[in-house]
Amino acid sequence: CSSDLYSVGVGWEGVTLVDPGSSADGFPSGPDVVANNAGDVVVVWRKTHGLPNLRGSVWARRYSQGIWEAPEALLAGPAGELIEGAAPGDPTATIDPAGSIITVWGGWELLFDADPAGIIGTRFIDGLGWEPAMSIEDNGARGPATVPRITFTPDGGAMAVWADTNDSFARDIWAVRLHP
């Protein structure tokens, strides 16, 4: 992943390599980017290796006060490596005016439960950093959770929505409110 920043009256800033990606540490894909009025930006993405051995991780990198911070593993093994049996979906993020960020992703996260087709997420609080990733909704027997979206609500909470596919390939839309 690489990125450019645009400034009114100046144009595009130079390209920055956000994650080099390699066959050794997984292939980055599915990036999302959000920004607040202060110019803080966060990019989230996943890294995966496909079959026969599902392995995956989820990453974020912040741009704050004109500086790119180091990439951070939101869902990864102890040394930032891919997790065996994890197949995270593309993450999506939202940011509030104070710089708090919430990111969510769907997929199979064997780290969290035995029926792992659900929504996983984490929150960044300015000055404190990223909280540990946690299951927001395990989706039970409804099927894999896909295409999650999230937004902050005016009271500082958030609302996450996603689709799922059941055994007959019917889709439903689900939502959960995350309290501040």
Side-chain angles (χ1 to χ4, degrees):
C1 296
S2 63
S3 68
D4 280 326
L5 294 176
Y6 181 80
S7 298
V8 176
V10 176
W12 287 101
E13 192 176 286
V15 174
T16 299
L17 185 60
V18 175
D19 182 330
S22 73
S23 60
D25 70 351
F27 299 101
S29 64
D32 190 21
V33 61
V34 292
N36 66 9
N37 293 340
D40 297 324
V41 174
V42 68
V43 178
V44 294
W45 68 95
R46 68 182 169 131
K47 288 185 178 185
T48 55
H49 276 286
L51 298 172
N53 300 321
L54 289 176
R55 294 184 294 152
S57 57
V58 176
W59 292 80
R61 190 163 182 195
R62 286 184 359 119
Y63 178 87
S64 182
Q65 300 177 14
I67 299 170
W68 280 102
E69 297 175 0
E72 293 186 62
L74 305 182
L75 175 72
E81 71 270 10
L82 299 167
I83 298 174
E84 292 289 336
D90 293 342
T92 187
T94 188
I95 188 170
D96 72 5
S100 292
I101 304 158
I102 296 179
T103 184
V104 296
W105 59 91
W108 290 269
E109 310 293 356
L110 299 180
L111 182 67
F112 292 101
D113 56 41
D115 184 16
I119 299 295
I120 309 300
T122 184
R123 182 172 65 166
F124 177 90
I125 300 173
D126 202 23
L128 298 176
W130 290 99
E131 295 178 338
M134 60 181 261
S135 176
I136 293 172
E137 168 53 52
D138 71 9
N139 236 32
R142 293 188 293 271
T146 59
V147 293
R149 299 293 181 259
I150 191 156
T151 191
F152 275 101
T153 56
D155 66 356
M159 181 70 71
V161 298
W162 66 92
D164 72 21
T165 306
N166 62 27
D167 292 340
S168 62
F169 298 102
R171 283 197 173 226
D172 297 316
I173 303 294
W174 296 85
V176 65
R177 178 166 160 63
L178 307 172
H179 294 281

